[in-house]
């Protein structure tokens, strides 16, 4: 096994503009040995780095069987800004994979609800791809709820028609764009949830999005009767080492990098409502 | 394991024997404080006694034959095993990509002489952090694995020591190669490892009898009596979790300078930050080809941007940052690693410029208002 504290090189194979500020990058690991032994779980993340600039924790969005590693990132800080200026053929540093991902065994042959907000869809795309690949052999319904700011901010927009064929997909935007035809919901993703029915005891829920959105969604889910131990969410904190030795990513007693980023709601419920923990 | 009695002068022999194979790190007097540094037998500040208080440390020379008359200063194992600044790797960037080079670990292994029981307890906590996680920290492992430890049981606890309450001291139970108890004009030396026994064999020594062990017990009991500070631990971590919104936090924040001294001197505080360092020449010249290093330095949860992400800071207030530090030490750590992250060495109290006392603050949190 390679040393996950040292970045290895990966070449940008292609890139795709998802929205005005969000890009998807397909990376291929340069070193053949590392490429062979590299394997990840949906929900895990890599530390992407550019020498001299820094590192950023970005979740993995591809399916385990895909040829390339996909990362969808919103241009925000130094690293993501620098990455957004790179082109196909350029080399990025990668460390990983890190963290605990989505409990896929909880999704097999069960009803699954996926709820995402904004670029929070990125770590859930690998779940969606995983479920889509097994669509024919699996039992249980899959429902996807996704909220974005405007129709133009929907990440993976071109992929939703395909998911619609297999799953129930519900999209909502905060604000519809008057110049564009939008027949979906306008409002928060919780509104979508309230309009649909599901079996609260027989469903596993995966959520990723801004923390306020996750908290609001979870409180609705709990009211609907979904037990706290069946709700999973992916948290975001400042990551520096990715492997539990730098102390930056604490969320209460949890290291988000090694105990998470995916947590069972019941395990972190005590800290989720607290300010500044 | 072997236990023998030696005369004090033979401590010098231990130093010399270890110096053959190790860099000997021991207590040394520098600028009026006891520090850990590369040192010899003669460097031990024998006869010095320290007086410590909240935010205060003074050394005084006493008329005594004692060698280990002082309690430890600000330094602990972490100064050498996870140094304040280390180079993780260097890199060479070109248009085609980058090449990473991990520095070879060179030099002699380290022998620590004069470590106390609280420091040994802290070392085992650091081991959990750096070695038991999903990825072993190879730098720490390399520095840690071949060390030799000569611990010393305390005769003179400082005014800020509360190791007894934390169950870590005042005497060392395990984790040493040799352990010294200073009893009047001789030293009781116990081996804790095969390596330690080897060193004992070369010393001129006398076997011990039951009376000598009784004397050790008396020394420890006397030391226990001298420890004045205490911390009630039975209701940890619950008492802190129940009081996360206690008014005391705001009061501490009014005093706290956020200098981060407590986190620097704490033997278990491990937080760090890694960043890339480029030479000035690199920055000013061709931007496609350059080289640099990834450096890791100690950081502190008191740093304002410690929990900052793009779009916001998870702990913007001083109140929250102090609360985070103390809650980590006394509550989170128990959930993370099975025991408190505080070993009762009292360093954070001594070296706090405004004398914030963690034992006192815990008592304040217990007060219902």
């Amino acid at each position: 096994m390679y040393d996950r504290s040292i970045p290895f090189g990966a070449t940008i194979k292609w890139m795709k503009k998802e929205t005005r500020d969000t890009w998807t990058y397909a990376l291929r690991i340069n070193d053949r040995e590392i490429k062979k032994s590299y394997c990840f779980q949906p929900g895990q993340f890599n530390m992407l780095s550019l020498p001299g600039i820094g590192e950023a924790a970005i979740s993995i969005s591809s399916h385990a069987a895909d040829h390339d590693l996909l990362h969808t990132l919103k241009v925000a800080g130094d690293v993501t800004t620098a990455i957004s200026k790179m082109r196909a053929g350029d080399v990025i540093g990668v460390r990983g994979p890190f963290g605990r991902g989505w409990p896929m065994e909880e999704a097999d042959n069960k009803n699954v609800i996926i709820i995402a907000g904004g670029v929070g869809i990125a770590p859930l795309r690998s779940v969606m791809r995983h479920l889509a690949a097994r669509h024919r052999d699996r039992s249980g319904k899959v429902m996807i709820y996704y909220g974005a700011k405007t129709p133009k901010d929907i990440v993976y927009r071109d992929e939703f028609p395909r998911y619609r064929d297999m799953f129930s997909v519900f999209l909502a935007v905060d604000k519809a764009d008057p110049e564009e035809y939008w027949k979906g919901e306008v409002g928060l993703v919780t509104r979508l949830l309230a309009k649909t029915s599901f079996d609260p005891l027989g469903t596993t829920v995966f959520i990723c999005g801004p923390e306020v959105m996750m908290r609001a969604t979870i409180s609705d889910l709990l009211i609907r009767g979904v037990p706290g131990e069946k709700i999973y969410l992916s948290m975001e904190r400042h990551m520096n080492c990715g492997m539990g030795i730098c102390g930056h990513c604490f969320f209460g007693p949890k290291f988000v990098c090694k105990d998470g980023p995916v947590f069972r709601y019941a395990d972190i419920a005590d800290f989720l409502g607290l300010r500044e923990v | 394991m072997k236990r023998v009695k030696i005369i004090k002068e033979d401590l010098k022999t231990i130093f010399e024997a270890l110096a053959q194979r190790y860099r000997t790190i021991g207590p040394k007097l520098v600028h009026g404080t006891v520090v850990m540094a590369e040192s010899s037998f003669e460097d031990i500040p024998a006869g010095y006694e320290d007086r410590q208080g909240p935010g205060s440390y003074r050394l005084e020379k006493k008329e005594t034959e004692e060698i280990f008359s002082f309690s430890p200063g600000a330094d602990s194992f972490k100064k050498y095993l996870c140094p304040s600044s280390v180079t993780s790797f260097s890199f060479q960037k070109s248009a085609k990509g980058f090449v990473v080079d991990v520095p070879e670990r060179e030099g002699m292994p380290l022998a620590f002489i004069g470590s106390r029981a609280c420091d040994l307890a802290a070392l085992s906590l650091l081991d959990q952090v750096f070695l038991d996680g999903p990825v072993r920290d190879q730098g720490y492992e390399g520095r840690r694995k071949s060390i030799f430890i000569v611990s010393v049981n305390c005769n003179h606890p400082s005014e800020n020591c509360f190791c007894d309450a934390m169950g870590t001291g005042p005497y060392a139970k395990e984790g040493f190669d040799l352990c010294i108890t200073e009893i009047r004009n001789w030293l009781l030396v116990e081996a804790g490892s095969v390596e330690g026994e080897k060193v004992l064999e070369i010393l001129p020594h006398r076997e011990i009898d039951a009376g000598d062990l009784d004397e050790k017990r008396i020394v420890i009991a006397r030391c226990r009596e001298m420890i004045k500070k205490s911390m009630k631990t039975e209701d940890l971590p619950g008492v802190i979790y129940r009081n996360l919104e206690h008014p005391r936090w705001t009061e501490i924040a009014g005093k706290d300078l956020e200098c981060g001294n407590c986190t620097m001197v704490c033997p278990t505080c491990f937080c760090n930050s890694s960043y890339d360092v480029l030479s000035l020449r690199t920055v000013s010249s061709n931007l496609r080809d350059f080289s640099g290093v990834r450096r890791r330095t100690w950081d502190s949860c008191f740093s304002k941007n410690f929990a900052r992400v793009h779009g916001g800071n998870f702990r913007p207030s001083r109140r929250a940052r102090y609360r985070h530090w103390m809650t980590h030490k006394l509550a989170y750590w128990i959930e993370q690693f099975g025991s408190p992250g505080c070993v009762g060495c009292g360093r954070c109290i001594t070296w706090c410029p405004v004398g914030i006392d963690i034992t006192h603050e815990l008592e304040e949190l217990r007060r219902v208002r």
Side-chain angles (χ1 to χ4, degrees), chain B residues 58 76 202 258 277:
Chain B
R58 292 288 180 276
S76 63
I202 59 162
E258 288 194 302
V277 182

Side-chain angles (χ1 to χ4, degrees), chain B residues 8-13 15 39-45 67:
Chain B
K8 286 185 179 177
E9 286 67 31
D10 281 333
L11 182 56
K12 189 174 175 169
T13 320
F15 262 96
S39 63
S40 61
F41 174 70
E42 287 75 24
D43 289 323
I44 301 179
I67 298 179

Side-chain angles (χ1 to χ4, degrees), chain A residues 3-4 6-7 51-52 55 76 91 93 236-238 240 243 245-248 250 252-253 255 258 275-277, chain B residues 89 96 98 100 134 270-274 276 290 294 306 308-310 314-317 320 323-324 328 332 336:
Chain A
D3 181 359
R4 278 185 287 169
I6 311 288
E55 284 192 315
V91 176
E236 189 206 6
R237 281 295 180 272
H238 180 135
N240 191 271
M243 47 201 214
I245 59 172
C246 79
H248 281 270
F250 277 18
F255 288 86
K258 67 171 186 182
R275 288 181 54 209
E276 297 192 71
V277 288
Chain B
F89 54 80
K96 278 194 201 141
F98 63 91
V100 171
F270 58 85
C271 286
N272 56 70
S273 286
S274 289
D276 290 354
F290 59 82
R294 170 74 51 86
F306 192 73
R308 191 184 163 79
V309 294
H310 182 84
F314 285 107
R315 258 171 257 118
S317 77
R323 184 179 73 177
H324 177 76
H328 184 212
Y332 297 161
Q336 291 167 345

Side-chain angles (χ1 to χ4, degrees), chain B residues 46-344:
Chain B
Y48 279 89
E49 268 182 40
D50 48 81
R51 274 181 294 120
Q52 301 190 24
S56 133
Y57 177 98
R58 292 288 180 276
L59 269 184
E60 236 176 90
K61 180 87 173 114
K62 287 279 163 69
E63 288 302 314
T64 167
E65 292 295 299
E66 258 184 308
I67 298 179
F68 295 103
S69 50
F70 50 90
S71 51
D75 295 341
S76 63
F77 281 113
K78 80 174 185 184
K79 176 175 176 183
Y80 288 94
L81 298 182
C82 56
S84 57
S85 174
V86 280
T87 298
S88 307
F89 54 80
S90 58
F91 56 83
Q92 181 76 44
K93 169 93 175 70
S94 66
K96 278 194 201 141
F98 63 91
V99 183
V100 171
D101 185 38
V102 182
E104 288 285 319
R105 204 138 306 292
E106 81 285 330
M108 281 159 103
L110 303 177
F112 295 93
I113 298 161
S115 313
R116 309 305 172 107
C118 54
D119 291 331
L120 294 180
L123 181 60
S124 86
L125 295 183
L126 287 182
D127 285 350
Q128 280 182 298
V129 173
F130 289 111
L131 301 178
D132 294 352
V135 182
R136 292 168 82 87
D137 178 27
Q138 304 202 351
Y140 179 84
E141 192 177 16
R143 288 181 291 269
R144 165 77 174 91
K145 68 179 177 217
S146 43
I147 63 170
F148 190 98
I149 299 174
V150 182
S151 72
V152 169
N153 289 332
C154 290
N155 281 355
H156 294 271
S158 87
E159 288 79 352
N160 289 336
C161 289
F162 54 103
C163 56
D164 198 21
M166 303 312 288
T168 59
Y171 69 101
K173 298 177 205 79
E174 57 186 3
F176 51 80
D177 295 287
L178 289 178
C179 177
I180 296 174
T181 312
E182 187 172 10
I183 303 171
R184 293 194 311 276
N185 56 353
W186 55 281
L187 303 174
L188 171 67
V189 188
E190 299 165 85
S193 70
V194 181
E195 287 297 304
E197 285 200 329
K198 281 186 200 154
V199 176
L200 279 194
E201 272 155 23
I202 59 162
L203 291 176
H205 62 261
R206 251 183 50 204
E207 297 300 323
I208 54 154
D209 53 41
D212 296 331
L213 284 181
D214 279 341
E215 294 221 48
K216 178 187 168 186
R217 260 176 237 126
I218 292 167
V219 166
I220 291 165
R222 201 171 53 215
C223 180
R224 273 221 169 94
E225 263 169 47
M226 287 158 72
I227 296 176
K228 290 286 169 277
K229 231 180 235 320
S230 183
M231 182 185 271
K232 211 169 100 198
T233 56
E234 303 87 72
D235 52 356
L236 292 176
V239 62
I240 296 200
Y241 287 153
R242 283 192 298 277
N243 288 300
L244 287 176
E245 302 298 338
H246 196 283
R248 185 64 188 171
W249 297 116
T250 312
E251 291 165 19
I252 305 170
K255 225 172 16 165
D256 184 5
L257 301 178
E258 288 194 302
C259 65
N261 268 12
C262 49
T263 56
M264 300 293 112
V265 298
C266 176
T268 69
C269 270
F270 58 85
C271 286
N272 56 70
S273 286
S274 289
Y275 47 88
D276 290 354
V277 182
L278 308 177
S279 71
L280 262 184
R281 200 188 49 162
T282 291
V283 176
S284 60
S285 66
N286 184 354
L287 278 172
R288 288 177 77 82
D289 300 305
F290 59 82
S291 61
V293 295
R294 170 74 51 86
R295 188 160 296 158
R296 188 162 103 190
T297 58
W298 288 353
D299 202 343
S300 167
C301 52
F302 286 93
S303 307
K304 202 158 190 182
N305 289 331
F306 192 73
R308 191 184 163 79
V309 294
H310 182 84
N313 188 340
F314 285 107
R315 258 171 257 118
S317 77
R318 183 178 294 182
R319 169 184 180 274
R321 289 195 289 274
Y322 183 84
R323 184 179 73 177
H324 177 76
W325 177 73
M326 184 163 155
T327 309
H328 184 212
K329 288 288 144 193
L330 299 178
Y332 297 161
W333 207 297
I334 297 174
E335 293 188 42
Q336 291 167 345
F337 301 106
S339 57
C342 172
V343 294

Side-chain angles (χ1 to χ4, degrees), chain B residues 19-45:
Chain B
Q20 308 281 322
R21 289 171 46 214
Y22 300 93
R23 265 173 70 202
T24 51
I25 309 293
K28 192 175 181 175
L29 202 60
V30 176
H31 300 314
T33 58
V34 176
V35 302
M36 271 167 87
E38 192 152 0
S39 63
S40 61
F41 174 70
E42 287 75 24
D43 289 323
I44 301 179

Side-chain angles (χ1 to χ4, degrees), chain A residues 179-195:
Chain A
E179 290 163 29
E180 212 172 338
Y181 174 65
W182 176 251
K183 62 177 177 176
E185 182 73 29
V186 176
L188 298 176
V189 77
T190 44
R191 288 252 301 263
L192 290 174
L193 206 58
K195 283 186 176 176

